[in-house]
Amino acid sequence: VWKERMARMDQIHDALPHPVWTTALGKLLAILGVLFAVQFVAMAMGIATQLLKGYTDFDVTVWMRELLVLDMVTLGSMAVLALVVQAIVNNRFLGYFVVVALLLLNTFVWGPLKIQSLMLRFGATPGYVYSDMAGYGPWVSGLAWFTAYWLPVAGLLMLLAILVWVRGVDTSLAVRRLNTSLRFHGGLRTAALALVVAFVSVGGWVFYNTQVLNAYPATREVEAAAVAYETRYKEIYQDLVQPRIAHLAYEIDLVPGDRDLFARGRAVVVNPWDTPIDTLLVNTSRQVEMALEIPGATLAREDEETLLRFYALEPALAPGDSVIMSWTADYVTEGFENQVQVTQVVENGTFFNNGFITPSFGYEPSREMTSRNDRRKYGLPPRDRMPPLQKDCVEACMANYISDDADWVTMETVITTSADQIAVAPGSLVEESVDGDRRTFRYVLDHPSLAFNSFISAGYEVAREEWEGVDVEVYFHPEHTYNVEKMLRSIRRSLDYNQENFGPYRHGQARIIEFPRYATFAQAFPGTMPYSEAIGFIARIQDEEDIDMVFYVTAHEMAHQWWAHQVVGAAMEGATVLSETLAQYSAIMTMEREYGEEAIFKFLRYEMDNYLSSRGAETLKEKPLMRVDASQGYVHYRKGSVILYHLKEMLGEEVLNSALRDLVEDFAYAGPPYPTSHDLVDRIRAVTPDSLQSLVTDAFERIVLFD
């Protein structure tokens, strides 16, 4: 009876004197109204949850932009698609199936087909990340224009729904075709023409920006370049002797408002080998425009596909001789991209390392194809992991695992930015000036260090204090004060523990520097430690029973000022034991002094659980700690934490620390050959009684699980 009454109501409704578009538009507005209501409820629940958690500094405009604008672009597109499918299919349940099938295809079909353009993915807009420091940053233009691109598409789909809308009891295909032709006149025809013109106009602009002005290499081109790099050059050039960088000087001009960067670099390049060097292999970057000048060098060949250049030196660079290499590296933002490729240069929170603007020498294994499936597809052999661990090596230990083409370098930087920002580079600030709307900083590295450096610029507030002759500093977004004092305290405690046990700190400052949550890590450079807002500056740890991850991460990065930036391992298996595992140990011991044993046991349980769960996802082969590969973080971080703390418990803290102190005394800032995990284990064995030697074997040389 209900169905019969509803059918009669439909017939009465369809017989009324109203245009079809009012019905179709009414249904669309009803769907959108429901979606807006759901989003409003979600927003209210989110804000209420914040209030219940004691957080009152929320920004309603962020909620509105996310839920009522950006989310509604996607949801609105889905609503229009559902409406037009139902109008065409004219069967509720079949329509549901077709809509779901289309959405799944639109989500999953483009990746396997390697189609990257968002112009072909219905309703797609560039992926983005919101940051307190920089907002939507480099994604704003792309989000706006892709939204404008899909609006006329949605309008045309709505017109199609109106044209094919079923009205009356006769639903035969012939009648529907006739009704479609009869409806397409007057206002609908004019609207269709206007929407087509808008689609072509906006689409042309989007195409120009994303496919011409900011053309990006297709996935197949990137894969082909990786294959070409390996197949053309690995066998011939991977062992070719290349010079080392001894000094770096940078002049960097940042234009934050335009997202532009102009860098000039100069490097003193030395031949430390016994044989002359007549050929330079120089790797350049796809992300910046780079021009090089090397006295006495002629560009013999440039492989544009792999970005590798060959320079002939005449005369050859003699042993012990040096040459000064100069270059420029520019990144200029033009228009908007299909997907933002560079998030290092932004309006507030620029953060990049020297690899972004510096050419490198020699064959780089990091440019090889890494995916096992792709390697099989292209007929490549399994990719080499780190070179095998060697004992008492010389030739194989001449390069460290962080920087292939440099040992310990001196460095100076002149960096300019807008007058309202602070720019930071490694070293001591020796000069600062303001000229109009530009602000200039000059930094000089206090001690020769690894050629691994960062450059940062943002509108910072700075917390400063002096601790035992070291300037302790935290550069932070003005609204992110939650953990500044905790970071300062962690730096102080880290300086105390590591200097007391492993030797002096070699820089005049220890800086924590916040950068936008476009990346989510913390990293240690000489004297400077960039730290993402996502993992430290917007965390508020109130429960005293919780593990204090902010204090821990700061302590870990500070520990790297000894483990990696003083003692760095040779480029072979086990190298990360000398950096990451020992940094974990220093951080744990710093935490233990601050929070006590109970907190450390909780932390170690977390580490052990993480290790056990992660080893189940190993796709190649787990290696013992002594031979760990750089990619096996679950071993050198998680297992390493448990192992080193257990050794401390069994041997005694001072006994274990004496072995580590001996390692620092022998290898801190020492040139090649670099130490290996053998050097660490040998020193631990030397202080271990015979009754516990098997413990060292189990810890480092075997894979042993214990409670």
Side-chain angles (χ1 to χ4, degrees):
V1 174
W2 178 79
K3 289 183 178 179
E4 291 176 358
R5 289 178 179 174
M6 291 303 297
R8 286 197 293 270
M9 289 295 295
D10 285 344
Q11 294 171 29
I12 293 171
H13 177 269
D14 289 344
L16 293 174
H18 63 81
V20 172
W21 67 265
T22 59
T23 302
L25 184 60
K27 288 184 179 291
L28 177 63
L29 291 176
I31 296 172
L32 293 178
V34 171
L35 291 172
F36 270 111
V38 171
Q39 295 294 88
F40 268 114
V41 170
M43 182 170 67
M45 292 177 65
I47 292 174
T49 302
Q50 288 181 314
L51 287 170
L52 290 172
K53 293 288 187 180
Y55 181 81
T56 59
D57 193 26
F58 50 79
D59 186 345
V60 176
T61 61
V62 175
W63 287 96
M64 295 178 67
R65 284 195 300 266
E66 283 286 325
L67 297 181
L68 305 183
V69 179
L70 294 172
D71 283 0
M72 285 303 298
V73 170
T74 301
L75 295 173
S77 300
M78 294 168 59
V80 172
L81 178 65
L83 201 64
V84 72
V85 167
Q86 290 287 0
I88 294 172
V89 173
N90 196 32
N91 181 292
R92 182 190 309 170
F93 300 106
L94 180 59
Y96 291 159
F97 174 80
V98 173
V99 170
V100 171
L102 289 174
L103 291 175
L104 290 174
L105 284 173
N106 190 56
T107 302
F108 297 111
V109 74
W110 306 111
L113 294 178
K114 299 187 185 298
I115 294 176
Q116 298 161 263
S117 176
L118 297 179
M119 297 181 71
L120 300 176
R121 305 182 183 189
F122 178 70
T125 55
Y128 65 90
V129 176
Y130 177 79
S131 161
D132 273 357
M133 291 185 69
Y136 295 95
W139 291 280
V140 172
S141 295
L143 287 169
W145 279 107
F146 270 99
T147 299
Y149 169 74
W150 289 115
L151 284 176
V153 175
L156 288 169
L157 287 176
M158 272 305 299
L159 284 180
L160 176 60
I162 293 169
L163 292 174
V164 301
W165 200 269
V166 175
R167 183 167 183 170
V169 296
D170 194 345
T171 60
S172 66
L173 191 58
V175 171
R176 295 186 68 181
R177 279 202 302 264
L178 176 61
N179 287 337
T180 298
S181 63
L182 291 174
R183 291 170 185 164
F184 192 57
H185 66 84
L188 290 182
R189 190 186 295 261
T190 302
L193 179 61
L195 288 169
V196 168
V197 171
F199 173 70
V200 172
S201 301
V202 177
W205 179 244
V206 172
F207 182 87
Y208 170 71
N209 274 270
T210 62
Q211 307 298 319
V212 179
L213 191 62
N214 292 294
Y216 51 87
T219 301
R220 291 184 177 87
E221 293 176 4
V222 174
E223 292 175 349
V227 173
Y229 188 84
E230 181 173 350
T231 55
R232 292 174 191 170
Y233 307 119
K234 182 173 184 177
E235 184 176 352
I236 302 174
Y237 295 111
Q238 66 177 338
D239 296 322
L240 182 68
V241 171
Q242 291 290 277
R244 295 284 177 87
I245 295 172
H247 175 76
L248 285 166
Y250 293 100
E251 295 178 15
I252 302 170
D253 296 321
L254 294 172
V255 188
D258 296 332
R259 292 187 59 229
D260 293 343
L261 178 156
F262 305 94
R264 297 167 299 283
R266 189 175 70 257
V268 177
V269 180
V270 178
N271 179 4
W273 313 105
D274 295 330
T275 58
I277 298 173
D278 59 9
T279 302
L280 298 180
L281 271 66
V282 181
N283 299 278
T284 58
S285 171
R286 198 180 301 276
Q287 294 181 313
V288 297
E289 291 291 330
M290 192 170 285
L292 288 87
E293 182 178 336
I294 306 173
T298 304
L299 181 60
R301 179 187 171 195
E302 181 175 5
D303 188 333
E304 295 184 356
E305 181 181 17
T306 63
L307 304 176
L308 184 62
R309 302 180 188 180
F310 294 79
Y311 288 89
L313 289 175
E314 183 59 43
L317 190 63
D321 205 353
S322 63
V323 64
I324 296 178
M325 176 179 71
S326 304
W327 72 93
T328 60
D330 299 336
Y331 175 79
V332 178
T333 301
E334 297 181 296
F336 58 92
E337 301 171 82
N338 183 65
Q339 294 281 13
V340 173
Q341 302 296 312
V342 173
T343 59
Q344 295 97 313
V345 184
V346 295
E347 292 184 5
N348 187 50
T350 290
F351 163 45
F352 59 94
N353 63 37
N354 57 307
F356 184 68
I357 58 170
T358 308
S360 61
F361 293 116
Y363 180 84
E364 290 189 339
S366 61
R367 298 197 176 203
E368 297 175 1
M369 180 176 286
T370 57
S371 168
R372 290 195 297 166
N373 291 335
D374 287 340
R375 291 184 69 85
R376 282 195 293 264
K377 181 176 71 175
Y378 286 98
L380 297 174
R383 188 165 182 261
D384 296 336
R385 301 179 80 174
M386 294 190 77
L389 176 65
Q390 297 185 29
K391 187 174 178 64
D392 301 324
C393 66
V394 177
E395 184 177 344
C397 294
M398 296 304 288
N400 65 73
Y401 90 101
I402 290 178
S403 178
D404 289 339
D405 56 2
D407 297 309
W408 306 101
V409 303
T410 54
M411 193 182 93
E412 57 184 296
T413 304
V414 175
I415 182 169
T416 72
T417 186
S418 57
D420 60 343
Q421 295 194 9
I422 297 174
V424 186
S428 293
L429 177 63
V430 297
E431 186 177 347
E432 178 183 352
S433 62
V434 178
D435 183 7
D437 63 348
R438 302 294 295 169
R439 195 171 180 181
T440 301
F441 302 82
R442 180 169 175 263
Y443 293 90
V444 176
L445 205 57
D446 299 309
H447 190 283
S449 301
L450 296 175
F452 184 53
N453 303 287
S454 63
F455 309 92
I456 305 178
S457 175
Y460 290 119
E461 284 190 11
V462 185
R464 289 188 174 94
E465 61 183 32
E466 190 270 339
W467 188 256
E468 297 183 355
V470 178
D471 293 328
V472 177
E473 304 170 343
V474 177
Y475 293 71
F476 61 97
H477 184 56
E479 298 175 8
H480 292 169
T481 59
Y482 316 135
N483 295 314
V484 170
E485 175 52 40
K486 184 179 294 184
M487 292 174 173
L488 291 170
R489 188 172 75 252
S490 183
I491 293 174
R492 295 195 301 266
R493 300 293 183 266
S494 297
L495 286 169
D496 288 344
Y497 187 84
N498 289 287
Q499 289 196 111
E500 175 186 323
N501 289 281
F502 309 127
Y505 182 72
R506 300 293 187 176
H507 300 282
Q509 63 297 125
R511 301 187 182 105
I512 292 287
I513 312 164
E514 184 176 11
F515 63 87
R517 60 187 293 266
Y518 302 152
T520 55
F521 59 81
Q523 198 167 25
F525 298 89
T528 62
M529 290 151 285
Y531 200 140
S532 172
E533 67 174 306
I535 63 169
F537 286 89
I538 61 174
R540 178 174 286 177
I541 301 171
Q542 295 177 314
D543 189 346
E544 294 183 359
E545 299 299 317
D546 284 346
I547 297 170
D548 194 336
M549 298 303 290
V550 174
F551 187 98
Y552 152 67
V553 172
T554 303
H556 177 93
E557 301 309 324
M558 272 299 298
H560 276 309
Q561 301 302 322
W562 284 263
W563 312 117
H565 288 291
Q566 290 193 34
V567 177
V568 60
M572 61 178 57
E573 293 174 330
T576 50
V577 173
L578 299 178
S579 55
E580 302 300 347
T581 303
L582 294 182
Q584 285 289 89
Y585 172 72
S586 285
I588 289 171
M589 298 311 300
T590 303
M591 288 174 64
E592 186 177 60
R593 280 193 176 184
E594 187 72 8
Y595 295 108
E597 275 192 349
E598 185 175 345
I600 297 306
F601 292 157
K602 178 180 289 188
F603 178 78
L604 292 176
R605 283 194 293 271
Y606 168 82
E607 294 283 82
M608 191 64 173
D609 289 346
N610 193 304
Y611 162 67
L612 292 174
S613 60
S614 297
R615 70 192 301 267
E618 175 63 68
T619 57
L620 294 174
K621 180 183 179 182
E622 180 184 349
K623 294 184 178 181
L625 183 60
M626 191 172 177
R627 296 180 177 273
V628 65
D629 192 84
S631 63
Q632 294 179 311
Y634 72 97
V635 178
H636 60 235
Y637 286 117
R638 311 307 170 203
K639 182 180 181 179
S641 297
V642 179
I643 291 295
L644 263 294
Y645 192 85
H646 183 54
L647 284 173
K648 185 270 297 187
E649 292 286 273
M650 300 300 291
L651 301 178
E653 180 181 355
E654 178 51 39
V655 173
L656 178 59
N657 286 354
S658 68
L660 303 185
R661 186 164 51 248
D662 186 53
L663 188 72
V664 175
E665 290 173 355
D666 288 345
F667 292 105
Y669 297 110
Y674 291 98
T676 71
S677 55
H678 277 295
D679 294 293
L680 169 64
V681 174
D682 288 349
R683 282 162 177 75
I684 292 176
R685 285 195 181 280
V687 298
T688 301
D690 293 343
S691 60
L692 294 177
Q693 287 292 329
S694 61
L695 174 62
V696 179
T697 302
D698 287 348
F700 289 99
E701 300 178 24
R702 302 170 62 194
I703 299 174
V704 176
L705 305 181
F706 62 96
D707 185 351

mmCIF file of all heavy atoms in Angstrom, residues 72-90:
data_model
loop_
_atom_site.group_PDB
_atom_site.id
_atom_site.type_symbol
_atom_site.label_atom_id
_atom_site.label_comp_id
_atom_site.label_asym_id
_atom_site.label_seq_id
_atom_site.Cartn_x
_atom_site.Cartn_y
_atom_site.Cartn_z
ATOM 1 N N MET A 72 34.258 19.632 1.874
ATOM 2 C CA MET A 72 33.013 19.720 1.110
ATOM 3 C C MET A 72 33.251 19.750 -0.393
ATOM 4 O O MET A 72 32.348 19.408 -1.168
ATOM 5 C CB MET A 72 32.212 20.945 1.548
ATOM 6 C CG MET A 72 31.515 20.777 2.890
ATOM 7 S SD MET A 72 30.390 19.359 2.954
ATOM 8 C CE MET A 72 29.206 19.805 1.685
ATOM 9 N N VAL A 73 34.438 20.150 -0.825
ATOM 10 C CA VAL A 73 34.753 20.065 -2.254
ATOM 11 C C VAL A 73 34.689 18.608 -2.707
ATOM 12 O O VAL A 73 34.062 18.271 -3.722
ATOM 13 C CB VAL A 73 36.143 20.660 -2.543
ATOM 14 C CG1 VAL A 73 36.572 20.365 -3.976
ATOM 15 C CG2 VAL A 73 36.124 22.169 -2.299
ATOM 16 N N THR A 74 35.309 17.728 -1.920
ATOM 17 C CA THR A 74 35.288 16.300 -2.254
ATOM 18 C C THR A 74 33.894 15.710 -2.074
ATOM 19 O O THR A 74 33.385 14.989 -2.937
ATOM 20 C CB THR A 74 36.291 15.542 -1.368
ATOM 21 O OG1 THR A 74 37.596 16.090 -1.571
ATOM 22 C CG2 THR A 74 36.310 14.062 -1.715
ATOM 23 N N LEU A 75 33.269 16.013 -0.941
ATOM 24 C CA LEU A 75 31.942 15.452 -0.669
ATOM 25 C C LEU A 75 30.910 15.968 -1.660
ATOM 26 O O LEU A 75 30.026 15.218 -2.095
ATOM 27 C CB LEU A 75 31.530 15.796 0.761
ATOM 28 C CG LEU A 75 32.384 15.174 1.872
ATOM 29 C CD1 LEU A 75 31.971 15.720 3.233
ATOM 30 C CD2 LEU A 75 32.280 13.659 1.847
ATOM 31 N N GLY A 76 31.009 17.252 -2.023
ATOM 32 C CA GLY A 76 30.078 17.805 -3.006
ATOM 33 C C GLY A 76 30.229 17.152 -4.364
ATOM 34 O O GLY A 76 29.234 16.880 -5.065
ATOM 35 N N SER A 77 31.469 16.878 -4.758
ATOM 36 C CA SER A 77 31.698 16.182 -6.029
ATOM 37 C C SER A 77 31.070 14.795 -6.005
ATOM 38 O O SER A 77 30.454 14.361 -6.990
ATOM 39 C CB SER A 77 33.209 16.070 -6.297
ATOM 40 O OG SER A 77 33.803 17.337 -6.377
ATOM 41 N N MET A 78 31.210 14.093 -4.885
ATOM 42 C CA MET A 78 30.604 12.768 -4.765
ATOM 43 C C MET A 78 29.080 12.851 -4.821
ATOM 44 O O MET A 78 28.412 11.996 -5.417
ATOM 45 C CB MET A 78 31.049 12.114 -3.459
ATOM 46 C CG MET A 78 32.527 11.791 -3.403
ATOM 47 S SD MET A 78 33.098 11.329 -1.750
ATOM 48 C CE MET A 78 32.063 9.905 -1.428
ATOM 49 N N ALA A 79 28.508 13.910 -4.205
ATOM 50 C CA ALA A 79 27.054 14.070 -4.223
ATOM 51 C C ALA A 79 26.539 14.283 -5.640
ATOM 52 O O ALA A 79 25.529 13.690 -6.049
ATOM 53 C CB ALA A 79 26.657 15.241 -3.322
ATOM 54 N N VAL A 80 27.222 15.123 -6.398
ATOM 55 C CA VAL A 80 26.812 15.369 -7.787
ATOM 56 C C VAL A 80 26.936 14.097 -8.608
ATOM 57 O O VAL A 80 26.036 13.762 -9.410
ATOM 58 C CB VAL A 80 27.663 16.500 -8.396
ATOM 59 C CG1 VAL A 80 27.397 16.627 -9.898
ATOM 60 C CG2 VAL A 80 27.375 17.817 -7.697
ATOM 61 N N LEU A 81 28.027 13.366 -8.422
ATOM 62 C CA LEU A 81 28.208 12.113 -9.156
ATOM 63 C C LEU A 81 27.090 11.135 -8.816
ATOM 64 O O LEU A 81 26.519 10.485 -9.711
ATOM 65 C CB LEU A 81 29.566 11.501 -8.803
ATOM 66 C CG LEU A 81 29.888 10.155 -9.458
ATOM 67 C CD1 LEU A 81 29.993 10.314 -10.966
ATOM 68 C CD2 LEU A 81 31.179 9.577 -8.886
ATOM 69 N N ALA A 82 26.745 11.015 -7.534
ATOM 70 C CA ALA A 82 25.677 10.101 -7.131
ATOM 71 C C ALA A 82 24.346 10.503 -7.750
ATOM 72 O O ALA A 82 23.569 9.659 -8.215
ATOM 73 C CB ALA A 82 25.570 10.077 -5.609
ATOM 74 N N LEU A 83 24.091 11.801 -7.791
ATOM 75 C CA LEU A 83 22.818 12.280 -8.331
ATOM 76 C C LEU A 83 22.697 11.984 -9.819
ATOM 77 O O LEU A 83 21.656 11.510 -10.300
ATOM 78 C CB LEU A 83 22.696 13.782 -8.069
ATOM 79 C CG LEU A 83 21.280 14.363 -8.087
ATOM 80 C CD1 LEU A 83 20.460 13.764 -6.968
ATOM 81 C CD2 LEU A 83 21.332 15.880 -7.937
ATOM 82 N N VAL A 84 23.749 12.241 -10.596
ATOM 83 C CA VAL A 84 23.668 12.012 -12.037
ATOM 84 C C VAL A 84 23.605 10.516 -12.343
ATOM 85 O O VAL A 84 22.897 10.091 -13.272
ATOM 86 C CB VAL A 84 24.843 12.692 -12.763
ATOM 87 C CG1 VAL A 84 26.157 11.975 -12.510
ATOM 88 C CG2 VAL A 84 24.582 12.765 -14.261
ATOM 89 N N VAL A 85 24.292 9.686 -11.568
ATOM 90 C CA VAL A 85 24.220 8.233 -11.781
ATOM 91 C C VAL A 85 22.805 7.735 -11.509
ATOM 92 O O VAL A 85 22.244 6.935 -12.279
ATOM 93 C CB VAL A 85 25.248 7.497 -10.891
ATOM 94 C CG1 VAL A 85 24.968 5.997 -10.869
ATOM 95 C CG2 VAL A 85 26.657 7.756 -11.388
ATOM 96 N N GLN A 86 22.203 8.193 -10.412
ATOM 97 C CA GLN A 86 20.839 7.766 -10.102
ATOM 98 C C GLN A 86 19.858 8.224 -11.177
ATOM 99 O O GLN A 86 18.905 7.506 -11.529
ATOM 100 C CB GLN A 86 20.411 8.320 -8.733
ATOM 101 C CG GLN A 86 21.112 7.698 -7.542
ATOM 102 C CD GLN A 86 20.652 6.275 -7.244
ATOM 103 O OE1 GLN A 86 19.788 5.731 -7.926
ATOM 104 N NE2 GLN A 86 21.252 5.662 -6.236
ATOM 105 N N ALA A 87 20.104 9.433 -11.720
ATOM 106 C CA ALA A 87 19.223 9.917 -12.778
ATOM 107 C C ALA A 87 19.334 9.072 -14.038
ATOM 108 O O ALA A 87 18.345 8.805 -14.717
ATOM 109 C CB ALA A 87 19.548 11.377 -13.085
ATOM 110 N N ILE A 88 20.541 8.630 -14.358
ATOM 111 C CA ILE A 88 20.744 7.820 -15.565
ATOM 112 C C ILE A 88 20.254 6.395 -15.361
ATOM 113 O O ILE A 88 19.537 5.840 -16.190
ATOM 114 C CB ILE A 88 22.241 7.832 -15.959
ATOM 115 C CG1 ILE A 88 22.675 9.242 -16.382
ATOM 116 C CG2 ILE A 88 22.514 6.826 -17.076
ATOM 117 C CD1 ILE A 88 24.165 9.378 -16.595
ATOM 118 N N VAL A 89 20.637 5.784 -14.229
ATOM 119 C CA VAL A 89 20.317 4.381 -13.987
ATOM 120 C C VAL A 89 18.838 4.199 -13.662
ATOM 121 O O VAL A 89 18.205 3.219 -14.073
ATOM 122 C CB VAL A 89 21.207 3.838 -12.842
ATOM 123 C CG1 VAL A 89 20.779 2.430 -12.441
ATOM 124 C CG2 VAL A 89 22.668 3.851 -13.273
ATOM 125 N N ASN A 90 18.283 5.150 -12.887
ATOM 126 C CA ASN A 90 16.863 5.111 -12.500
ATOM 127 C C ASN A 90 16.515 3.837 -11.730
ATOM 128 O O ASN A 90 15.431 3.283 -11.871
ATOM 129 C CB ASN A 90 15.952 5.249 -13.725
ATOM 130 C CG ASN A 90 14.524 5.588 -13.336
ATOM 131 O OD1 ASN A 90 14.297 6.275 -12.339
ATOM 132 N ND2 ASN A 90 13.548 5.093 -14.094
#
